[in-house]
Amino acid sequence: MHSSKLVAGAASGALCLVLCGCAPRESATPAGAASGPAAAANESADEFVTRVNGELTARAQEAQAAGFTLDTFITPDTQLLNARANDRYLAYLSKAVAEAKRYDAQKLSPATARALMKLRLNVAAPAPDDAQKRARLTQLEAQLEAKYGEGKYCPSGPASCKNLDQLAEILATSRNYDELTEAWKGWHAVGAGMREDYTQFVALANEGARELGFKDLGVMWRAGYDMSPEEFDAESERLWQQVKPLYDGLHCYARARLERRYGAGKVPPGKPIPAQLLGNMWAQQWNKIYPDILKPYPRASIETADALLAAQKWDAGRMAHSAESFYTSLGFPQLPKTFWERSMFARPRDREVVCHASAWDLATTGDVRIKACLKPTEEDLFTIYHELGHVYYFLSYANQPYLFRDGANDGFHEAIGDTVNLSVTPAYLAKIGLVRALTPSHEALINQQMKMALEKIAFLPFGRLIDQWRWRVFSGEITPANYNSSWWELRRRYQGIAPPVPRTEADFDPGAKYHIPDNTPYTRYFLSFILQFQFHKALCAASGNQGPLYECSNYGSREAGRRFADMLSLGASQPWQDALEKLTGARRIDAAAITEYFQPLMQWLNEQNQGQPCGW
Ligand SMILES: [Zn+2]
């Protein structure tokens, strides 16, 4: 996930995990007339792009440096310096976008046309030209973020207040139906206060998008996929239909287990599952209820790396070196010395920092970093392997011009590290001495697949529906009068869940999900979850893997690494289909690999669900 406003579009800087729940940041306020590009008379489009690439690099370098300093040392001063640097970057960007309009009617080389397209798509909410409207849009963005960031539930006075972290913890750990319902309701009340701001935000951002030549903001978001918005819509739906049988099986099983736990009165067969029972505020991943409710074989345990990480006293540096050694085993270079000197690996004792893991491209060749607070746990080991995926992507496309230093499309960047994590199999962990080398029983395999499916499969309908809702909001098909009812219609249709208490149009439940007030496009996560399995399968073929996909580890395969690097080095310079083809030989995203990966679980679920009233 992008954790900074600055990097909302093409110019990747900081990226973090999809579920990091990034803390809202200082809002950027474009400073209007400040230092825009100095337009040279009769500058050709090619010259313009070259100049803008250079100038954006310099400004991004400043803004990233300010952002990294803020995140690793939060003070009023670093907040101010970061906001100023962001302002300068965004002000420059909007002037460059305005200037680029003079090339609209010209015949351009493919590379220049692509660069100008990436320039236009660089912000997630373009501001209208009108200065007042621009200021208002910025203000609305700041208000929405603040309302989310400061949101609290206070059932009985100020001393009783709970923030999102505390309420999310209740959702994850409580098994008391009423307590869960209250925590869910408490957080979702935060959304209601955003409805009016969001309505105005949509109107102004749409106006900005129209001034850039897009029909509406949703059309603009879909313009980054090298196909028409209609085609992209159809592709997304095709992929969803491919994975839907997997999700349906998981849903049916989870509902039966929840019915056993809470009773048919609370979890009726054949009906959507109440949203507060799945261990997560948005019911987007269900792994928190794995240990006590959804674990298929309670006595078949999966050995995690936790015990040996602690016993062998692994520290953050050793974990990071372990991740690096995976990438170097594929033939990637060692990380630069500055990575080790300038990254933050553990929580400092003497200052406030943003601990959410993120990866940073400081916009100068080779200055890449991560920022994390690693503890010696298996979960954090996966985190650092994931973050290095971003870092190696940064390094692989470092020689591209600035506007092409990005993922092939926005689903690619998140998928790289996750692809590598699919190679972190029990056999791999045994090889590096972090679990004992055991052949897992069939029961343990099903447990393992279930645990993963509750993260990777349970997420898919949620990843699909967020922008289904937003695209229709931006197009006007969904109006403020049915914001909330249409939200729940989509959640019912895709996820098969229902609100725990009746909702009305006085509520605004989309606002209770970070990416709506923050205005971060979401389809990227849906794509990433499917792409990572497709990448994994292609790498496994390249490394000559003969066994099932879920046992394949590409550790040590130079051939797999070469294919991977070929794709990564393109950055965003070519249509993503070309990048995909480099690695997989295919030009379409395909969910066949994720289905293949979960074949054992699918089969098991089919048996479990015999005679159950599946569906909703
Ligand atoms: Zn990430």
Side-chain angles (χ1 to χ4, degrees):
M1 171 192 295
H2 298 78
S3 71
S4 158
K5 273 293 182 198
L6 165 65
V7 291
S12 285
L15 298 119
C16 71
L17 290 165
V18 52
L19 301 152
C20 71
C22 300
R25 290 275 302 273
E26 286 300 290
S27 170
T29 315
S35 61
N42 303 323
E43 192 177 33
S44 73
D46 292 355
E47 288 162 350
F48 173 78
V49 165
T50 302
R51 180 167 59 82
V52 165
N53 269 318
E55 291 171 356
L56 273 175
T57 304
R59 280 166 179 79
Q61 190 183 348
E62 179 195 34
Q64 294 295 350
F68 190 83
T69 307
L70 171 65
D71 276 12
T72 55
F73 194 0
I74 306 169
T75 73
D77 297 341
T78 56
Q79 285 177 0
L80 180 136
L81 293 170
N82 179 62
R84 291 273 164 84
N86 256 326
D87 287 354
R88 273 195 290 278
Y89 180 85
L90 288 176
Y92 177 88
L93 198 63
S94 49
K95 285 205 74 168
V97 169
E99 283 193 31
K101 282 183 189 169
R102 65 177 175 233
Y103 305 109
D104 278 356
Q106 296 187 12
K107 185 147 176 50
L108 306 168
S109 72
T112 294
R114 189 169 180 82
L116 292 178
M117 186 266 290
K118 298 290 289 179
L119 179 67
R120 282 197 300 172
L121 298 179
N122 212 293
V123 286
D129 281 338
D130 181 290
Q132 263 187 330
K133 288 178 176 171
R134 174 191 297 275
R136 179 66 183 143
L137 180 71
T138 306
Q139 187 189 20
L140 288 166
E141 287 178 303
Q143 275 171 216
L144 284 163
E145 279 203 44
K147 281 177 186 172
Y148 189 94
E150 293 159 10
K152 282 185 183 61
Y153 169 55
C154 306
S156 49
S160 70
C161 289
K162 290 191 172 71
N163 62 25
L164 175 58
D165 285 354
Q166 294 164 315
L167 294 167
E169 183 64 16
I170 295 175
L171 265 286
T173 57
S174 171
R175 300 294 179 258
N176 177 313
Y177 189 92
D178 293 334
E179 188 182 20
L180 288 164
T181 305
E182 191 194 349
W184 189 97
K185 265 175 69 181
W187 177 249
H188 280 75
V190 167
M194 300 178 194
R195 172 180 275 272
E196 187 48 44
D197 286 352
Y198 193 75
T199 307
Q200 289 184 38
F201 166 82
V202 168
L204 287 172
N206 264 341
E207 204 175 318
R210 277 194 293 271
E211 286 178 13
L212 290 180
F214 300 101
K215 208 164 142 238
D216 60 63
L217 185 58
V219 171
M220 177 176 152
W221 282 5
R222 281 170 284 172
Y225 293 103
D226 301 299
M227 55 176 67
S228 74
E230 294 76 23
E231 284 169 327
F232 183 64
D233 225 349
E235 279 298 276
S236 307
E237 186 60 22
R238 176 180 65 79
L239 293 170
W240 166 243
Q241 291 302 330
Q242 262 188 298
V243 295
K244 192 174 182 301
L246 255 173
Y247 181 75
D248 287 350
L250 196 62
H251 181 281
C252 191
Y253 167 76
R255 185 174 56 198
R257 288 288 180 116
L258 287 165
E259 183 196 335
R260 206 189 289 174
R261 179 76 181 222
Y262 294 100
K266 298 273 199 290
V267 186
K271 293 276 192 293
I273 299 172
Q276 80 279 37
L277 303 183
L278 290 154
N280 175 280
M281 189 60 81
W282 308 276
Q284 68 180 60
Q285 289 179 311
W286 306 347
N287 45 307
K288 297 292 184 198
I289 60 167
Y290 166 82
D292 60 324
I293 299 181
L294 297 182
K295 190 174 180 182
Y297 296 103
R299 277 185 298 278
S301 62
I302 311 161
E303 185 180 350
T304 71
D306 289 339
L308 289 176
L309 281 167
Q312 297 171 18
K313 299 197 167 40
W314 281 54
D315 61 9
R318 187 164 173 195
M319 291 164 75
H321 277 289
S322 164
E324 180 195 36
S325 72
F326 191 102
Y327 290 86
T328 55
S329 87
L330 298 177
F332 286 96
Q334 288 196 328
L335 291 166
K337 200 161 155 268
T338 49
F339 172 85
W340 300 104
E341 291 163 353
R342 298 175 186 174
S343 289
M344 182 184 94
F345 297 106
R347 182 190 280 280
R349 272 177 286 187
D350 58 348
R351 59 185 197 266
E352 290 293 318
V353 301
V354 179
C355 261
H356 293 303
S358 55
W360 293 69
D361 184 357
L362 274 286
T364 57
T365 308
D367 189 350
V368 289
R369 308 176 197 172
I370 64 144
K371 169 191 70 58
C373 300
L374 299 172
K375 294 195 213 82
T377 63
E378 184 180 275
E379 189 181 352
D380 283 10
L381 192 71
F382 276 102
T383 298
I384 180 70
Y385 277 67
H386 171 92
E387 294 303 334
L388 286 202
H390 293 307
V391 165
Y392 276 104
Y393 213 166
F394 297 151
L395 291 171
S396 299
Y397 59 56
N399 291 324
Q400 295 285 349
Y402 181 81
L403 287 165
F404 294 156
R405 279 184 222 150
D406 197 3
N409 71 36
D410 59 6
F412 278 56
H413 231 299
E414 289 303 329
I416 305 309
D418 279 7
T419 301
V420 165
N421 273 337
L422 291 175
S423 279
V424 181
T425 56
Y428 169 76
L429 288 173
K431 194 176 287 181
I432 63 168
L434 285 176
V435 299
R436 288 166 300 157
L438 294 173
T439 308
S441 64
H442 186 69
E443 279 82 5
L445 171 66
I446 296 301
N447 278 352
Q448 177 74 31
Q449 288 229 316
M450 177 64 74
K451 206 172 147 197
M452 263 184 90
L454 296 176
E455 295 179 25
K456 305 275 187 189
I457 305 292
F459 176 76
L460 293 168
F462 189 75
R464 168 91 178 106
L465 76 87
I466 299 284
D467 285 348
Q468 286 281 90
W469 183 81
R470 268 193 301 207
W471 295 341
R472 288 178 202 180
V473 164
F474 293 136
S475 78
E477 192 189 323
I478 294 173
T479 64
N482 53 27
Y483 271 171
N484 217 44
S485 59
S486 56
W487 173 258
W488 281 107
E489 188 201 307
L490 287 165
R491 298 202 67 188
R492 167 189 276 264
R493 191 198 311 162
Y494 281 96
Q495 284 184 289
I497 66 155
V501 289
R503 309 306 280 168
T504 70
E505 290 301 333
D507 303 303
F508 183 61
D509 295 323
K513 174 67 191 169
Y514 175 72
H515 301 70
I516 304 287
D518 182 61
N519 196 46
T520 306
Y522 210 75
T523 305
R524 57 182 61 164
Y525 305 116
F526 174 72
L527 298 178
S528 158
F529 274 45
I530 292 172
L531 277 171
Q532 57 190 252
F533 288 90
Q534 191 174 3
F535 293 165
H536 181 63
K537 185 175 159 84
L539 293 173
C540 290
S543 71
N545 173 68
Q546 304 288 327
L549 215 43
Y550 55 83
E551 279 179 4
C552 164
S553 176
N554 295 301
Y555 180 69
S557 170
R558 293 293 166 119
E559 181 53 22
R562 196 185 57 73
R563 299 282 287 269
F564 218 2
D566 281 352
M567 177 176 85
L568 299 184
S569 63
L570 287 180
S573 65
Q574 307 290 329
W576 64 261
Q577 292 89 339
D578 293 355
L580 183 68
E581 191 172 15
K582 288 261 187 210
L583 172 57
T584 68
R587 299 184 59 81
R588 295 180 98 186
I589 305 179
D590 185 7
I594 188 172
T595 309
E596 181 185 333
Y597 188 96
F598 285 106
Q599 223 20 254
L601 181 69
M602 268 288 268
Q603 210 180 340
W604 185 85
L605 284 170
N606 284 341
E607 291 157 17
Q608 296 298 307
N609 291 334
Q610 286 289 329
Q612 289 286 337
C614 292
W616 56 87

